[in-house]
């Protein structure tokens, strides 16, 4: 059984006296992607995540690998083309985590089908060889056949197009494991608290604090990359106290309903909500994920709180398109994420801000900051940032290796059946674990499909350290059913304490902290 070992990583970090080639701060899509890229080029790379991998925005997305039909409407053809190519590569490299998905835009006005139909033909053309399927006009009868729960009153027909869907947090864990396999050293619960400088003021390393023990470690490096998403400005301020902020944070909320609200393999796409955004209602595992919003916010935290108006807005919009309206009480979970949007001039509207990524190199310290973009383009962002880092750090030039690099779990013969399929090649090891120890094949709760074996696996191989790590990101239980997850905390805590060698105080404290956190995902 191989995997990620936090203690071994920390031992390596303490013993590493020479400068690392690249130090990455932040273990979301951007930082993990950069770690995979750098390690696969043979660079000596270390990554520090202050909380858990994908604890920030990267576990809170709409879970689409997409070109962005909306950006096409805005005329941003190059962004769409790049994202469509990345979509194709990701499906190729991580087929256990990415799949194609049909989206139906229902039309209730005579002009809608031809209007969206033409736009989507352009989308098909831009995808070229990476296309997932051709878009098509659908009759009213066909739309109802595809989505039996769709509102039929006034329905004229629709347009179907294809895009990609994925499991964001699981992809992050698989990227972390890929990075380790490629030779990177990575740890969670190690926050960077300071940037070390040489006498000329050039960034030459970081100070990290082990969140579990409080130990402070000085880590030397040739290049420091700040990949902290919405928190990029806070880390830039560790480097230069008076820098102008570049991130305009905006919050996006999703609600999760029972899958019976979308008893279909197709998603619904609403191209223009009352606030001018796109809204998706997506079948995902055994649930339906609906969102999102775009609300400018002032405070950046790792657990952003959905506003009541955001939940009402999503429900109201979704209910216009469903025959059986959903009520607040039927929401199984609600989650919010913060977009790390890069400031563009003086626009007040965050939906008009750049979705492209930005790389900044501080003129005094040389610290690099990479911010913006989206999950879909994480690989390209990583390629760009490591290209720049290798020049800055005067590293031996090596071309990017990740275009066709398989992501951990990839297997030639894809296991499409069964609920462990997202583990890819690890699924058989988890099954063996469940078969070896009595009780481990049982689920952690009557309303959750996660097995006890997966909790053990998460601790042994996937660097899970808290109940939240297991229930929110190793399994997605917290998003599937927040109340059931809260109820399972005791059992999960007990299983983890055996694996991590923790005492009863640890278990009690973990249960308390997790139940408090889960409350934020439950609609009272
Ligand atoms: C509502 C919403 C929906 C979205 N939907 C999609 C979608 O469907 N498809 C798509 O492609 N993209 C989508 N995106 C965009 C995508 O999720 C983000 O672009 C991406 O996850 C950003 O990743 P990141 O690594 O830059 O930031 P994050 O995931 O936030 O990672 C930054 C990490 O840095 C860590 N950190 C911060 N400070 C420190 C420190 N001092 N020391 C160590 N670590 C630190 C944080 O803990 C965090 O884990 C969506 C975004 C939102 C908000």
């Amino acid at each position: 059984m191989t995997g990620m070992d936090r203690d071994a990583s920390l031992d390596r970090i303490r013993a590493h006296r020479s400068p690392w080639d690249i130090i990455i701060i932040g273990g979301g899509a951007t930082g993990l992607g950069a770690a995979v890229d750098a390690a696969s080029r043979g660079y000596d790379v270390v990554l520090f995540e202050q909380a858990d991998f994908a604890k920030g925005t990267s576990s809170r997305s709409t879970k689409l690998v997409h070109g962005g039909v909306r950006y096409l409407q805005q005329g941003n053809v190059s962004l769409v083309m790049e994202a469509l190519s990345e979509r194709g590569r990701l499906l190729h490299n991580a087929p256990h985590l990415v799949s194609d998905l049909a989206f139906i835009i229902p039309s209730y006005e005579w002009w809608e089908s031809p209007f969206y139909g033409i736009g989507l033909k352009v989308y098909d053309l831009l995808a070229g060889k990476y296309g997932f399927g051709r878009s098509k006009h659908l009759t009213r009868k066909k739309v109802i056949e595809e989505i039996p729960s769709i509102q039929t009153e006034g329905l004229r027909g629709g347009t179907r197009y294809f895009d990609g869907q994925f499991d964001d947090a699981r992809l992050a864990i698989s990227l972390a494991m890929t990075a380790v396999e490629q030779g990177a050293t990575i740890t969670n619960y190690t926050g960077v608290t300071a940037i070390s400088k040489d006498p000329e003021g050039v960034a030459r390393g970081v100070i990290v604090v082990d969140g579990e023990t409080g130990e402070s470690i000085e880590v030397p490096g040739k290049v420091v990359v700040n990949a902290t998403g919405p928190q990029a400005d806070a880390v830039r301020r560790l480097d230069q106290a008076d820098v102008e902020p570049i991130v305009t944070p905006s919050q996006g909320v999703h609600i999760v309903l029972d899958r019976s609200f979308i008893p279909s393999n197709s998603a619904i796409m609403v191209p223009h909500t009352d606030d001018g955004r796109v809204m998706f209602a997506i079948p995902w595992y055994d649930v339906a994920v609906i969102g999102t919003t775009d609300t400018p916010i002032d405070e950046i935290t790792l657990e952003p709180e959905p506003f009541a108006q955001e939940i009402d807005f999503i429900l109201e919009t979704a209910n216009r398109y469903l025959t059986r309206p959903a009520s607040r009480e039927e929401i199984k979970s609600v989650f919010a994420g913060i977009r790390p949007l890069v400031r563009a001039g003086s626009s007040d509207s965050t939906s008009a801000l750049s979705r492209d990524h930005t790389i900044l190199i501080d003129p005094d310290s040389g610290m690099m900051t990479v911010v913006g973009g989206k999950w879909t383009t994480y690989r390209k962002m990583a390629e760009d940032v490591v290209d720049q880092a290798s020049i800055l750090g005067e590293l031996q030039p090596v071309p990017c290796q990740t275009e066709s690099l398989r992501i951990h779990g990839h297997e030639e013969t894809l296991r499409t059946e069964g609920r462990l399929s997202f583990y890819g090649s690890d699924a058989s090891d988890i099954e063996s674990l469940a078969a070896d120890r009595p009780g481990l094949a049982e689920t952690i709760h009557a309303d959750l499909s996660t097995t006890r074996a997966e909790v053990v696996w998460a601790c042994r191989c996937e660097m899970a350290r808290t109940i939240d790590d297991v229930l929110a990101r190793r399994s997605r239980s917290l998003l599937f059913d927040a109340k059931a997850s809260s109820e399972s905390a005791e059992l999960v805590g007990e299983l983890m304490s055996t694996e991590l060698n923790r005492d009863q105080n640890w278990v009690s404290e973990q249960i308390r902290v997790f139940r408090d956190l889960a409350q934020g995902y439950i609609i009272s």
Side-chain angles (χ1 to χ4, degrees):
M1 200 181 284
T2 55
M4 298 191 282
D5 181 336
R6 188 172 183 276
D7 291 342
S9 291
L10 282 168
D11 285 345
R12 218 169 309 127
I13 291 161
R14 285 187 204 99
H16 202 292
R17 297 292 163 84
S18 60
W20 295 82
D21 287 338
I22 303 177
I23 296 174
I24 298 169
I25 315 172
T30 309
L32 291 167
V36 171
D37 186 301
S40 60
R41 295 192 205 204
Y43 297 142
D44 192 19
V45 58
V46 62
L47 178 147
F48 298 107
E49 164 55 48
Q50 66 175 0
D52 184 28
F53 308 117
K55 168 76 181 176
T57 307
S58 296
S59 57
R60 299 155 187 275
S61 77
T62 312
K63 290 123 190 42
L64 299 181
V65 183
H66 59 164
V69 176
R70 194 160 78 88
Y71 314 133
L72 199 58
Q73 284 173 357
Q74 295 167 353
N76 201 338
V77 173
S78 62
L79 179 64
V80 175
M81 275 185 86
E82 180 175 286
L84 287 172
S85 311
E86 290 304 320
R87 184 185 74 169
R89 291 191 182 109
L90 198 48
L91 178 66
H92 185 255
N93 297 332
H96 53 304
L97 290 164
V98 181
S99 59
D100 54 358
L101 179 66
F103 289 76
I104 293 176
I105 307 179
S107 33
Y108 293 87
E109 303 286 348
W110 65 268
W111 52 268
E112 284 177 322
S113 279
F115 181 75
Y116 296 121
I118 293 164
L120 289 164
K121 287 283 170 238
V122 177
Y123 198 63
D124 291 347
L125 282 173
L126 291 178
K129 67 173 178 169
Y130 294 112
F132 276 25
R134 294 224 157 260
S135 60
K136 200 175 172 219
H137 167 74
L138 301 182
T139 60
R140 173 187 149 89
K141 183 164 166 268
K142 189 73 185 154
V143 173
I144 298 168
E145 228 172 82
E146 294 275 330
I147 306 178
S149 57
I150 195 91
Q151 176 57 264
T152 51
E153 211 182 303
L155 181 71
R156 289 170 171 267
T159 310
R160 179 175 58 199
Y161 72 98
F162 291 89
D163 235 324
Q165 176 178 45
F166 76 128
D167 184 330
D168 48 10
R170 288 297 322 172
L171 181 57
I173 302 304
S174 292
L175 283 176
M177 293 177 84
T178 311
V180 169
E181 284 158 7
Q182 294 293 323
T185 298
I186 68 176
T187 60
N188 51 10
Y189 297 100
T190 41
V192 168
T193 54
I195 310 293
S196 328
K197 309 265 179 81
D198 69 10
E200 275 81 50
V202 176
R204 290 290 179 222
V206 296
I207 310 278
V208 292
V209 174
D210 179 347
E212 294 188 354
T213 61
E215 178 191 358
S216 177
I217 311 172
E218 184 151 5
V219 184
K222 295 176 190 164
V223 186
V224 177
V225 175
N226 167 16
T228 54
Q231 281 143 319
D233 286 329
V235 172
R236 287 174 69 232
R237 281 194 291 273
L238 291 180
D239 179 42
Q240 308 285 346
D242 55 355
V243 284
E244 276 288 308
I246 52 164
V247 174
T248 297
S250 136
Q251 169 167 300
V253 168
H254 293 88
I255 61 167
V256 179
L257 296 175
D258 190 82
R259 181 71 184 270
S260 60
F261 283 95
I262 312 179
S264 163
N265 289 325
S266 301
I268 304 172
M269 194 263 210
V270 176
H272 208 81
T273 59
D274 289 349
D275 72 346
R277 284 194 54 77
V278 172
M279 177 88 78
F280 293 100
I282 298 171
W284 190 60
Y285 295 111
D286 293 334
V287 293
V289 176
I290 306 179
T292 178
T293 53
D294 201 338
T295 313
I297 49 163
D298 298 325
E299 203 196 343
I300 297 173
T301 70
L302 283 174
E303 282 296 340
E305 284 174 24
F307 297 112
Q309 312 88 282
E310 293 182 287
I311 298 166
D312 292 343
F313 174 76
I314 297 172
L315 261 187
E316 267 167 42
T317 310
N319 283 344
R320 271 189 232 161
Y321 293 86
L322 298 173
T323 29
R324 178 165 81 82
S327 66
R328 272 181 145 255
E329 293 67 42
E330 286 169 297
I331 296 175
K332 292 165 81 79
S333 188
V334 55
F335 61 96
I338 302 176
R339 294 180 187 82
L341 299 178
V342 179
R343 267 173 208 267
S346 58
S347 170
D348 286 340
S349 158
T350 49
S351 46
L353 292 185
S354 173
R355 258 63 181 171
D356 224 338
H357 65 272
T358 299
I359 297 175
L360 296 176
I361 301 176
D362 186 273
D364 298 320
S365 73
M367 185 176 85
M368 298 180 68
T369 296
V370 52
V371 68
K374 50 186 181 161
W375 239 121
T376 309
T377 52
Y378 85 90
R379 194 209 61 82
K380 186 72 182 81
M381 290 170 74
E383 177 178 344
D384 290 351
V385 81
V386 176
D387 279 349
Q388 301 279 333
S390 68
I391 297 169
L392 199 66
E394 297 178 23
L395 309 178
Q396 182 72 30
V398 182
C400 175
Q401 309 286 313
T402 56
E403 272 195 15
S404 53
L405 183 79
R406 308 298 206 207
I407 290 167
H408 178 89
H410 177 280
E411 48 188 356
E412 286 312 326
T413 320
L414 190 61
R415 159 204 285 258
T416 45
E417 293 298 313
R419 56 163 302 280
L420 295 184
S421 60
F422 58 84
Y423 287 102
S425 54
D426 286 340
S428 48
D429 285 339
I430 297 169
E431 278 165 354
S432 308
L433 196 61
D436 285 353
R437 214 167 98 189
L440 285 192
E442 282 174 43
T443 61
I444 54 171
H445 187 282
D447 293 335
L448 293 170
S449 57
T450 302
T451 61
R452 298 167 193 208
E454 289 172 80
V455 179
V456 172
W457 176 264
C459 296
R460 287 190 194 169
C461 299
E462 297 183 339
M463 222 187 262
R465 311 295 294 182
T466 68
I467 297 180
D468 175 39
D469 297 352
V470 169
L471 292 177
R473 290 168 297 280
R474 304 304 180 286
S475 82
R476 309 309 307 274
S477 305
L478 183 62
L479 304 195
F480 298 156
D481 191 328
K483 190 164 162 284
S485 297
S486 182
E487 286 163 5
S488 74
E490 214 165 305
L491 173 64
V492 174
E494 290 296 343
L495 287 164
M496 292 186 78
S497 69
T498 311
E499 289 306 314
L500 301 176
N501 197 16
R502 302 286 203 242
D503 62 16
Q504 276 310 309
N505 289 339
W506 181 88
V507 176
S508 312
E509 179 61 5
Q510 278 289 310
I511 295 169
R512 188 194 63 73
V513 170
F514 180 74
R515 291 213 164 126
D516 197 33
L517 178 149
Q519 210 48 45
Y521 291 71
I522 298 170
I523 303 272
S524 48

